[in-house]
Amino acid sequence: MPTAPKNATVYAAPVMRKLTEMAPNLQPSLRKVADFILRHPLKAATLTIEELAQQTATSPSAVNRLAKVMNLGGYTGLKTELVTTLQQMVSPIDKLRNELEQRAGGEFGLHEQIQIASRNLGTAGANNPAATFEAFVASLITARRIYVLGFGNSAYMAGLAAGTLMPFCADATAISMEGGNENAAYRLAAITDQDVLLAISLPRYSLDTLQLARFAKERGAKVLAITDSPASPLSNIAEHVLFAPADHPVLTSSNIAVLALIEGLVAGVMARNKEAVKLAQELTESVMAYLHLPTAGQVGKRTKKVEKQ
């Protein structure tokens, strides 16, 4: 079996690219199967046709029809394609979820959370090509204005992204903070083809995020998205997409990978900004008056106190 290139990602595999392109136009039952495979490609490769039908609340015939629509003959052809492409990869999140499900008391501890976070981060690293990340950074640097959008828990991520990008970009604004979706729409009304909309959305996806992203695209703005997988409806709207796996056995979705991608983008923008050091110094000096900093005398007193003890 040929070895996948070192920089290949799950979603770069031919079967996954084909599913991504076809998914928006599939009938509902086939779309459910396609979305499941796009969200859980590694798990889908291990399931029987009956198990896949059960996981997607469809039927074996729907799974079979999807394979035929993809010109793979039937489910056997689809499974062979998935296994051939994804054989070298493992789904640690699914393993951990199965482990947790076996615990009668339903315990969940810090160790499990750290494992989940680490593995989501690892998957984010494996599934995002360097070229896509570079395209994100270049778009943010050259934009006249950056609008950052996210509702629900993603609103906090949007605020963080805008706040940390602000000192190093021409203009960055979180449009979904105060006033809800109506005020977000007002703030986005002036977007142009010189601007960028960075939309953040994880399951369960907000309809308002999708509608505003489409509006921005219609206005000629460049739409960037951070979302969980190609099954996300944002994938069909955005010009560039970074995938932040959101799997979690307890929470609706995990924000760990989103946070890592935001920090990476801010660092990428800073590294390419020749004025970054000066800007960072000015920012530090501007907030110095609001920070608690021990005086030299206080430090000396504390040191002597420790020595006496």
Side-chain angles (χ1 to χ4, degrees), residues 166-242:
M166 195 180 300
F168 310 104
C169 295
D171 188 7
T173 306
I175 63 172
S176 49
M177 300 303 287
E178 300 89 10
N181 55 0
E182 187 175 349
N183 277 353
Y186 289 153
R187 295 184 185 106
L188 196 62
I191 197 168
T192 72
D193 58 2
Q194 299 178 56
D195 304 325
V196 162
L197 173 68
L198 172 56
I200 304 172
S201 186
L202 299 176
R204 297 160 291 207
Y205 312 108
S206 165
L207 287 174
D208 292 322
T209 300
L210 303 178
Q211 290 169 354
L212 292 175
R214 290 192 189 96
F215 170 79
K217 186 175 182 179
E218 289 167 2
R219 293 292 300 269
K222 182 173 289 187
V223 179
L224 309 177
I226 296 178
T227 191
D228 65 308
S229 80
S232 166
L234 262 184
S235 297
N236 300 315
I237 302 172
E239 182 172 339
H240 300 295
V241 184
L242 285 174

Side-chain angles (χ1 to χ4, degrees), residues 163-168 266 270 275-291:
T164 47
L165 283 170
M166 195 180 300
F168 310 104
V266 174
M270 288 180 66
E275 299 293 320
V277 174
K278 179 183 176 183
L279 290 169
Q281 182 178 350
E282 290 176 352
L283 179 62
T284 300
E285 291 174 353
S286 69
V287 300
M288 196 72 75
Y290 304 97
L291 302 179

Side-chain angles (χ1 to χ4, degrees), residues 29-30 49 53 58-68:
S29 59
L30 274 60
I49 187 170
T58 58
S59 65
S61 62
V63 177
N64 215 38
R65 287 202 308 277
L66 174 65
K68 289 181 178 179

